[in-house]
Amino acid sequence: MMTTKKIQRMALAATALFFSLFSGSSLSEEQSADPVLTTELSARAAMAAIKQCESDGFKVSAAIVDHAGLLKAQLKADGAGPHTLDSSRRKAYTANSLRGPTQRYAELIVKSPDLHSLAHMNEHILLLGGGFPIKMGGEVVGGIGVGGAPGIKFDEVCARAALKVLQADELFE
């Protein structure tokens, strides 16, 4: 006959075994399956965007957000306006959140006024060219946004320089 203490010890051992097996396999699957947008790589990519714009004669800010839309890296070129920090972050957030280039959505709301509320979903959305989603391993893992050049086509050139450093799946060329 089993005592209550013996049953409790067996249940505790079984529970510990279950959680160690379950959480261990789950963690290793997550680590191997998810592409990683590291802080170091994000900082290098943001610097590549800044340098591209500097070589083109523009003072900008570049921001990179992770898959959750949280800021991973942001740089402001010497002499760039303070508003460029906000616009670059919001473009990166928008590209990540909507899973597409920000210019595509800017054009879409002009063509389809019924979608105008898309621009007002929340205070982080900015439907202005210069933002791209970052795709790695077939998944969107973040967004890049550049703000401050005199025209979206220039912001986009600099954002593409960052995508090249990241070796992103899509370079939007």
Side-chain angles (χ1 to χ4, degrees):
M1 194 186 260
M2 286 193 179
T3 66
T4 305
K5 285 193 180 224
K6 203 177 217 182
I7 293 172
Q8 287 174 337
R9 277 184 281 180
M10 287 174 55
L12 186 61
T15 302
L17 177 64
F18 172 78
F19 281 114
S20 69
L21 290 173
F22 179 74
S23 65
S25 68
S26 171
L27 285 176
S28 64
E29 286 172 20
E30 286 178 297
Q31 289 171 350
S32 64
D34 291 341
V36 178
L37 183 61
T38 66
T39 302
E40 181 179 342
L41 187 56
S42 299
R44 282 190 295 167
M47 181 56 80
I50 296 285
K51 288 192 176 293
Q52 176 65 53
C53 271
E54 280 180 350
S55 71
D56 294 338
F58 310 122
K59 298 174 181 177
V60 301
S61 289
I64 295 182
V65 299
D66 65 13
H67 69 283
L70 300 174
L71 194 59
K72 196 78 177 158
Q74 187 172 39
L75 295 172
K76 179 178 141 325
D78 295 336
H83 67 284
T84 64
L85 287 167
D86 194 41
S87 66
S88 65
R89 180 190 52 77
R90 290 177 63 196
K91 289 176 186 183
Y93 174 91
T94 302
N96 173 65
S97 181
L98 299 180
R99 305 292 199 246
T102 53
Q103 181 61 22
R104 177 187 309 159
Y105 294 103
E107 292 169 1
L108 184 63
I109 64 168
V110 170
K111 292 176 186 172
S112 302
D114 57 317
L115 296 175
H116 205 292
S117 61
L118 183 63
H120 307 289
M121 269 196 308
N122 68 39
E123 69 277 3
H124 303 292
I125 297 288
L126 181 60
L127 301 181
L128 185 63
F132 294 115
I134 299 168
K135 289 185 181 180
M136 300 171 105
E139 293 182 41
V140 174
V141 297
I144 170 74
V146 175
I152 58 119
K153 63 183 175 209
F154 301 116
D155 285 336
E156 288 182 344
V157 167
C158 301
R160 285 185 191 104
L163 291 173
K164 287 177 185 172
V165 166
L166 294 167
Q167 297 180 340
D169 293 349
E170 282 188 59
L171 300 178
F172 300 97
E173 294 181 314

